[in-house]
């Protein structure tokens, strides 16, 4: 039987989208054919008091945290918010006592720090917002922190990266419970991607690299994104920037934080991934359109970045 109950923990300073994003996903199931009534969603807070989110919104919970008892059939959702110095003791004490009794334990963004503080991530793989990953690894050495993925599943515990990654994780959980068709309908209703897999990096190539300060280099970054199958050699890109290849490579790395070659490969892998997810083109055709030339070159790039070959990626995440 699918898990039917979702218990959401609220507290002062919680990130509003960490709450509303996953809740909208779970609530969407009740409107979908095949959703089988959807989920019973309940929110609780310390003392049952209204809370104010980090952006100033007021949220009124359904009940008191201290009286809530998650158990079999319940997904316990802990959204992110303030960092360790501001943890609510009643919340971490409650999580320490009751969190492990839920059927599924889920965190969004820095909610993973709350789980770690309560000892619920000890010995497990986990992630959190990119800006908090280093601190999580330092403060909780018993947690195996993975800074790159948008979400990580380790048995009954699922942790996600910043903000919108909670929507991706919630869609994955709905698909697990109620099937792909229901999750797809919810994603379409919310106008979001369904198949952003957990091992996708928290940043796209454009976000992972800094935007260059100088306009010629910014133009080159845009050109790479728009022409992944083109000639993206250092010599060709340097010519577009009106720089010598050596000067271009040095300036590009200094201003973006990555080499031209690494940036090009990230863009090409992203483009190939989208084609595998969305269309029916063959791997050989995709390899050519993304500038790899041969399926073997594409396979090696996928192995480096995604840990699996293109055919397996399409099987898992394709249409």
């Amino acid at each position: 039987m699918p898990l039917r109950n979702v218990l959401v923990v609220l507290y002062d300073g919680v990130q509003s989208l960490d709450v509303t994003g996953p809740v909208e996903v779970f609530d969407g199931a009740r409107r979908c054919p095949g959703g089988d009534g959807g989920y019973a969603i309940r929110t609780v807070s310390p003392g049952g008091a209204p809370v104010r989110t980090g952006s100033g919104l007021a949220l009124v919970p359904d009940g008191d945290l201290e009286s809530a008892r998650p158990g079999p059939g319940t997904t316990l959702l802990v959204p992110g918010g303030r960092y360790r110095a501001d943890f609510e003791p009643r919340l971490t004490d409650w999580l320490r006592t009751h969190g492990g009794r839920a059927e599924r334990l889920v965190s969004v963004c820095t909610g993973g720090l709350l789980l770690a503080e309560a000892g619920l991530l000890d010995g497990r793989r986990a992630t959190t917002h990119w800006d908090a990953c280093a601190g999580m690894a330092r403060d909780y050495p018993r947690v195996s922190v993975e800074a790159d993925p948008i979400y990580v599943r380790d048995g009954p515990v699922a942790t996600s990266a910043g903000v919108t990654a909670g929507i991706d994780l919630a869609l994955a959980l709905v698909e697990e419970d109620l099937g792909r068709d229901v999750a797809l309908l919810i994603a379409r209703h919310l106008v979001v991607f369904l198949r952003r897999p957990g091992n996708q990096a928290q940043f796209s190539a454009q976000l992972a690299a800094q935007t260059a300060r100088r306009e010629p280099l910014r133009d080159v970054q845009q050109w790479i994104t728009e022409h992944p199958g083109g000639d993206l050699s250092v010599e060709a890109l340097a010519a577009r920037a009106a720089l010598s290849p050596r000067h271009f490579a040095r300036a590009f790395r200094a201003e973006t934080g990555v080499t031209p070659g690494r940036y090009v490969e990230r863009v090409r892998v992203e483009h190939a991934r989208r084609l595998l997810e969305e269309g029916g083109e063959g791997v050989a055709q995709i390899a050519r359109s993304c500038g790899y030339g041969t399926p073997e070159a594409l396979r090696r790039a996928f192995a480096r970045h995604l840990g699996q070959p293109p055919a397996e990626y399409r099987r898992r995440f394709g249409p």
Side-chain angles (χ1 to χ4, degrees):
M1 292 292 294
L3 306 179
R4 311 307 290 181
N5 301 307
V6 177
L7 181 65
V8 184
V9 173
L10 305 179
Y11 53 93
D12 280 326
V14 71
Q15 166 74 253
S16 57
L17 191 54
D18 288 4
V19 177
T20 58
V23 164
E24 288 292 339
V25 171
F26 289 120
D27 180 67
R30 66 180 173 82
R31 298 189 297 268
C32 294
D36 195 22
Y39 297 81
I41 304 169
R42 188 165 183 262
T43 58
V44 293
S45 72
V51 303
R52 191 165 294 280
T53 70
S55 59
L57 295 175
L59 300 178
V60 180
D62 298 313
D64 180 10
L65 173 73
E66 285 77 4
S67 63
R69 296 293 182 268
T74 298
T75 295
L76 176 60
L77 177 67
V78 181
R82 294 174 303 183
Y83 283 29
R84 175 171 181 165
D86 298 311
F87 281 164
E88 163 65 71
R90 288 180 294 174
L91 177 53
T92 51
D93 289 345
W94 183 88
L95 285 171
R96 193 173 293 112
T97 302
H98 302 290
R101 299 174 184 174
E103 187 101 13
R104 277 193 309 219
L105 187 57
V106 177
S107 69
V108 181
C109 196
T110 54
L113 298 178
L114 285 162
L115 298 188
E117 177 72 8
L120 296 169
L121 299 183
D122 288 355
R124 293 190 181 276
R125 297 163 45 246
T127 192
T128 185
H129 189 282
W130 63 267
D131 194 39
C133 282
M136 186 185 217
R138 179 192 66 240
D139 295 340
Y140 306 104
R142 298 187 65 184
V143 181
S144 179
V145 179
E146 299 186 8
D148 201 38
I150 59 172
Y151 61 83
V152 171
R153 303 284 301 275
D154 190 335
V157 178
T159 54
S160 68
V163 194
T164 58
I167 295 175
D168 296 289
L169 177 53
L171 284 167
L173 297 177
V174 169
E175 182 173 5
E176 180 180 292
D177 295 344
L178 301 173
R180 182 181 185 277
D181 290 344
V182 173
L184 180 58
L185 284 172
I186 295 171
R188 286 174 175 168
H189 177 74
L190 297 176
V191 198
V192 297
F193 291 108
L194 169 62
R195 289 288 189 171
R196 200 160 68 137
N199 62 353
Q200 181 174 326
Q202 293 195 31
F203 292 129
S204 66
Q206 293 81 4
L207 290 177
Q210 303 168 39
T211 300
R213 294 188 303 273
R214 283 183 279 180
E215 186 172 347
L217 297 180
R218 288 200 304 270
D219 291 343
V220 167
Q221 285 182 288
Q222 185 65 29
W223 171 264
I224 293 170
T225 302
E226 295 174 353
H227 301 85
D231 181 1
L232 302 181
S233 64
V234 168
E235 290 75 17
L237 296 177
R240 296 196 64 83
L243 298 171
S244 70
R246 184 175 181 180
H247 186 191
F248 168 78
R250 185 168 58 248
F252 191 94
R253 182 167 187 173
E255 295 202 16
T256 67
V258 295
T259 65
R262 179 173 288 273
Y263 187 82
V264 166
E265 180 159 87
R266 286 176 177 172
V267 169
R268 283 176 165 167
V269 167
E270 277 186 18
H271 186 65
R273 179 182 57 75
R274 286 195 295 270
L275 292 177
L276 289 166
E277 291 172 10
E278 299 167 3
E281 296 177 352
V283 172
Q285 184 178 354
I286 290 174
R288 289 192 297 272
S289 67
C290 294
Y292 284 105
T294 67
E296 177 60 24
L298 177 61
R299 188 195 67 78
R300 289 195 299 268
F302 261 58
R304 284 192 297 272
H305 289 267
L306 299 176
Q308 58 189 301
E312 175 63 16
Y313 186 91
R314 167 168 276 170
R315 187 189 69 78
R316 294 181 60 194
F317 303 115

